[in-house]
Amino acid sequence: MGDFYSPVTGFHYGSKEQKEAMEKKYMADLENKKLKELQKANQIQQQNAFLKQQEQQEQQRQARENARIMAEATRQAEKDRYNNELEMEKIRQEHDKKMRFYRLCDDFGIDYEDIYQFELWLKLLSKKTIQEYQNTLEEVKELVETDEVKNIYTKADETENKLQNIENELEQLKNISIPGVKNNGVEVSETKEKIEELIDENNKLIPSVRNYLIGITIITLIIFGFTIDTFGVAVLIIGGILDLIFLDRLLRLKNGSKLAKEAVNDAKDKEKRLLEEKKKYEKQLAREEEEIDKLTKFNFQQLENDKKYENLLERYEKAMSFAQEGYTPNQEEFYTFRVNHYNRDFEVLLKKLELKLKNINKDEIVNYGTKEDYIDFIENAISKLENDLQEYQES
């Protein structure tokens, strides 16, 4: 029996044929081993690339979110700074104006504190007058708002309630919940715009996950085809597990996109329907308000044409003058004094002090007076103010 040494395997063989066969097997095993190592390296590389891609996408999403938060914080800080500056400027202007008023009064020979209290008296209503105004307004309201008007008011209130319910529903639609889709274990609830962003991100991931799934399947089948042994079975099992992982990921992405898209579309459909209803009820409310206005004006004109309501309407006019312009009986009293004791210098001072008074035309002046006449009137008014305030405190 011969002795044939193989430098490839490092062993001695009994025949040349045996040596050559063992060398071929050795080389085949070696190539197979290299192929397995290469395939394993490729799998690891692909998995690492996929994980890296996911990490990059998450970093990009986080960067966008951080940029949004920073931009919002910057805008809010700038807004707060601007508002603070406005408030400080307003305080400064008020202080400067008050100092100017003090100087004007000092130069004129009157105390600004007296003018300040006098202005309070001008605006003040006695408790008796307030009650009279309230009674007058209620009396006219009862005459003008007939049963027909009240019925339309009821309809208008119902329409306003429907509009408010629609507004509440529209407000709730700003954030959309997606049942069955969770992020970090919490059900997704975001704005339509944010969810559409998530859909885009999911759709960009789907092709990559699908490619990894196909690649792993092909590589697993190739290895299994070349090595039908224990190693091949192990590779098949590992490949199957990886396939299941990527398949689960693929299905989750597809299902998440589908559910998110359905939720967004449902929200858009509902929003469209609500906006159409809102438009309809807004028109209806406008018609009802127009009808109320038309009927109340007609009923009020009927009162004006009836002599027995003449006194009531005079009192009503005074009450409405106060309600709309803040014009009080005290201001009327001061106006009567001014036209009977007109003093141009004091009138100029009152205008510079920015007191809101009824203008006097030259043809309205009955008589002229002095600065002292105005000062006496103001001092008497301040005494009345103290009595009126005392009445409020005691009640």
Side-chain angles (χ1 to χ4, degrees), residues 27 51 73 114 138 155 208 263 271 275 281 298 311 314 323 330 379 395:
M27 293 303 294
L51 293 173
D114 287 347
E138 283 297 322
K155 292 178 183 178
S208 299
E271 183 180 40
L275 289 173
Y281 286 125
F298 175 79
N311 179 262
E314 285 178 4
N330 290 347
E379 287 176 350
S395 60

Side-chain angles (χ1 to χ4, degrees), residues 140-236:
V140 173
K141 182 180 177 182
E142 284 298 316
L143 291 169
V144 170
E145 292 186 3
T146 59
D147 289 340
E148 185 180 6
V149 174
K150 289 176 181 177
N151 288 336
I152 303 172
Y153 264 122
T154 301
K155 292 178 183 178
D157 287 341
E158 292 172 355
T159 305
E160 280 189 310
N161 288 335
K162 289 175 182 177
L163 278 170
Q164 186 57 56
N165 291 336
I166 289 173
E167 288 290 351
N168 294 338
E169 288 189 68
L170 287 170
E171 184 66 26
Q172 291 171 3
L173 282 178
K174 287 183 178 179
N175 265 32
I176 303 171
S177 296
I178 312 176
V181 179
K182 292 186 177 182
N183 186 16
N184 296 324
V186 180
E187 186 174 273
V188 173
S189 178
E190 294 285 356
T191 61
K192 289 194 295 290
E193 293 75 19
K194 182 64 177 176
I195 289 175
E196 285 174 338
E197 273 184 38
L198 294 173
I199 292 172
D200 288 339
E201 289 176 7
N202 271 15
N203 290 341
K204 288 175 184 177
L205 278 174
I206 287 172
S208 299
V209 176
R210 186 189 295 115
N211 290 338
Y212 283 122
L213 177 62
I214 294 171
I216 291 170
T217 302
I218 292 172
I219 291 170
T220 301
L221 292 175
I222 290 172
I223 296 173
F224 182 71
F226 278 99
T227 57
I228 306 176
D229 55 14
T230 304
F231 178 78
V233 173
V235 169
L236 186 64

Side-chain angles (χ1 to χ4, degrees), residues 45-218:
Q45 185 179 7
Q46 287 178 342
Q47 290 178 39
N48 289 339
F50 176 70
L51 293 173
K52 186 176 181 181
Q53 183 184 25
Q54 283 189 311
E55 184 180 357
Q56 288 174 343
Q57 289 175 338
E58 177 59 25
Q59 288 174 349
Q60 290 171 358
R61 188 195 67 77
Q62 191 62 48
R64 288 195 300 270
E65 182 65 14
N66 290 340
R68 185 191 66 77
I69 292 171
M70 285 297 294
E72 182 62 29
T74 303
R75 282 195 297 271
Q76 188 60 43
E78 184 63 22
K79 184 179 178 181
D80 291 343
R81 183 186 67 79
Y82 178 73
N83 289 337
N84 289 337
E85 287 179 356
L86 283 180
E87 188 63 28
M88 291 300 294
E89 178 62 18
K90 183 179 177 182
I91 293 171
R92 185 190 66 76
Q93 289 178 359
E94 285 295 323
H95 177 266
D96 290 348
K97 184 169 74 172
K98 193 170 185 179
M99 291 300 100
R100 178 165 56 84
F101 289 168
Y102 271 108
R103 287 193 295 272
L104 284 169
C105 289
D106 287 344
D107 293 341
F108 199 79
I110 190 172
D111 190 350
Y112 174 68
E113 291 298 327
D114 287 347
I115 296 293
Y116 179 76
Q117 291 188 64
F118 176 63
E119 189 175 12
L120 292 179
W121 176 81
L122 286 173
K123 296 176 181 178
L124 188 68
L125 279 180
S126 67
K127 293 184 72 176
K128 179 182 177 182
T129 304
I130 291 173
Q131 189 61 52
E132 287 175 353
Y133 281 178
Q134 287 176 341
N135 293 341
T136 300
L137 292 173
E138 283 297 322
E139 191 174 348
V140 173
K141 182 180 177 182
E142 284 298 316
L143 291 169
V144 170
E145 292 186 3
T146 59
D147 289 340
E148 185 180 6
V149 174
K150 289 176 181 177
N151 288 336
I152 303 172
Y153 264 122
T154 301
K155 292 178 183 178
D157 287 341
E158 292 172 355
T159 305
E160 280 189 310
N161 288 335
K162 289 175 182 177
L163 278 170
Q164 186 57 56
N165 291 336
I166 289 173
E167 288 290 351
N168 294 338
E169 288 189 68
L170 287 170
E171 184 66 26
Q172 291 171 3
L173 282 178
K174 287 183 178 179
N175 265 32
I176 303 171
S177 296
I178 312 176
V181 179
K182 292 186 177 182
N183 186 16
N184 296 324
V186 180
E187 186 174 273
V188 173
S189 178
E190 294 285 356
T191 61
K192 289 194 295 290
E193 293 75 19
K194 182 64 177 176
I195 289 175
E196 285 174 338
E197 273 184 38
L198 294 173
I199 292 172
D200 288 339
E201 289 176 7
N202 271 15
N203 290 341
K204 288 175 184 177
L205 278 174
I206 287 172
S208 299
V209 176
R210 186 189 295 115
N211 290 338
Y212 283 122
L213 177 62
I214 294 171
I216 291 170
T217 302
I218 292 172

